[in-house]
Amino acid sequence: GTVIDSGDGVTHVIPVAEGYVIGSSIKSMPIAGRDMTYFVQQLMRERGESIPADQSLETAKRVKEMYSYVCPDIVKEYKKYDAEPSKWIKQYHAINKITKEPWQADVAYERFLAPEIFFAPEMYSSDFITPLPVLIDDTIQSCPIDTRRSLYSNIVLSGGSTMYKDFDRRLKKDLKKHVDKRIQASYEASGPASTEIQGQEVSVNVVSHPFQRFAVWFGGSMLANSPEFLTVARTKEQYDEYGPSICRHSPVFGQL
């Protein structure tokens, strides 16, 4: 399948076919959890929230982790907040670390705008403007043609920045929309012959699971605890002999 790993600093799209990592097709986007934090900080600062300067970054991180979610339609979400601000705008309470006095700040549009930078990165930075669904499609399209359907049908999320509510549903919807649009454009470019070459519909499935945040460590511990691990583990002598290329294939996954 395809692994979407997004942590604090970078987001990777990693295709895996029959136990092999297709290294030449791995792509990344320089947007992840840290950028969401900076974006929340920027939005709250521009709105004029009275947040102590020394607590600004920490507050943005807490707001991101406590209140953020992924919305299906950003325009409709703005209308919801404008129609019922008392229902959707939250209050963040904290204590000033220096004066020990309590303070509060409103948490508004940044609740859904923070994760939106994965799907519309141009609102945050002009340096990288390729949305995550497009990056995934580009990654899979660069893989061998006989592996693509399985890569679309088993997209696995990993990392803390994929934990936001409805992240998987939005990713599936946007990716499916992009794939269908690309296929339709291909049919139209084929002209009259397109009616003869239409194949099966591409199935897109995004897998969300309880261990997303710790998927890397959980998978590693499960693997290390298996009785077969020592029989398939690479030794330092093997690494020294073959070099980094020995890590491109895992005998463990090849047996699954």
Side-chain angles (χ1 to χ4, degrees):
T2 306
V3 179
I4 313 301
D5 184 31
S6 183
D8 183 57
V10 69
T11 298
H12 289 290
V13 181
I14 308 166
V16 182
E18 298 180 2
Y20 287 89
V21 174
I22 307 176
S24 60
S25 297
I26 294 176
K27 295 187 186 298
S28 63
M29 65 186 301
I31 292 176
R34 189 183 310 154
D35 300 280
M36 294 172 61
T37 302
Y38 292 155
F39 192 42
V40 170
Q41 182 185 32
Q42 175 188 332
L43 291 171
M44 298 185 78
R45 182 182 293 147
E46 289 175 351
R47 198 168 60 244
E49 296 294 338
S50 55
I51 302 173
D54 60 327
Q55 294 177 248
S56 178
L57 190 62
E58 178 189 345
T59 300
K61 186 176 181 181
R62 292 285 294 162
V63 165
K64 176 193 72 174
E65 294 173 348
M66 293 170 60
Y67 300 108
S68 289
Y69 63 93
V70 177
C71 68
D73 188 310
I74 191 172
V75 176
K76 291 181 180 178
E77 211 67 20
Y78 269 115
K79 291 179 179 178
K80 279 167 52 177
Y81 277 67
D82 293 340
E84 297 180 275
S86 59
K87 178 181 178 181
W88 298 104
I89 296 178
K90 305 296 182 181
Q91 298 288 329
Y92 178 81
H93 299 270
I95 303 295
N96 190 308
K97 292 183 178 180
I98 299 176
T99 65
K100 306 302 180 185
E101 294 181 356
W103 59 270
Q104 70 175 37
D106 289 338
V107 183
Y109 302 134
E110 54 271 11
R111 292 186 63 195
F112 61 87
L113 286 178
E116 190 68 24
I117 65 174
F118 283 108
F119 305 97
E122 64 275 5
M123 70 166 55
Y124 170 69
S125 171
S126 60
D127 296 331
F128 187 88
I129 58 173
T130 304
L132 181 57
V134 176
L135 189 69
I136 295 171
D137 187 50
D138 291 345
T139 299
I140 296 176
Q141 285 299 303
S142 67
C143 294
I145 193 169
D146 59 327
T147 65
R148 293 175 189 172
R149 285 191 178 273
S150 62
L151 294 175
Y152 279 117
S153 63
N154 189 32
I155 298 172
V156 182
L157 301 178
S158 170
S161 294
T162 65
M163 294 289 293
Y164 299 100
K165 181 184 176 185
D166 292 335
F167 185 93
D168 54 335
R169 294 175 61 186
R170 172 70 182 278
L171 184 60
K172 179 180 179 179
K173 185 190 82 169
D174 284 15
L175 179 56
K176 177 64 174 172
K177 183 178 179 181
H178 179 74
V179 170
D180 290 346
K181 183 179 179 181
R182 176 175 50 75
I183 293 175
Q184 184 60 37
S186 178
Y187 286 155
E188 292 174 357
S190 300
S194 62
T195 56
E196 300 177 9
I197 62 173
Q198 288 187 11
Q200 294 181 345
E201 184 180 0
V202 176
S203 173
V204 175
N205 184 40
V206 178
V207 180
S208 181
H209 52 92
F211 298 105
Q212 276 172 231
R213 184 184 295 273
F214 310 108
V216 175
W217 301 108
F218 183 78
S221 63
M222 289 287 288
L223 181 62
N225 284 327
S226 63
E228 299 86 6
F229 177 69
L230 293 178
T231 64
V232 294
R234 306 297 193 185
T235 64
K236 185 178 185 301
E237 289 76 14
Q238 288 176 311
Y239 183 86
D240 290 340
E241 180 179 354
Y242 294 100
S245 62
I246 198 173
C247 301
R248 290 295 185 192
H249 174 248
S250 169
V252 175
F253 298 115
Q255 294 173 0
L256 295 179

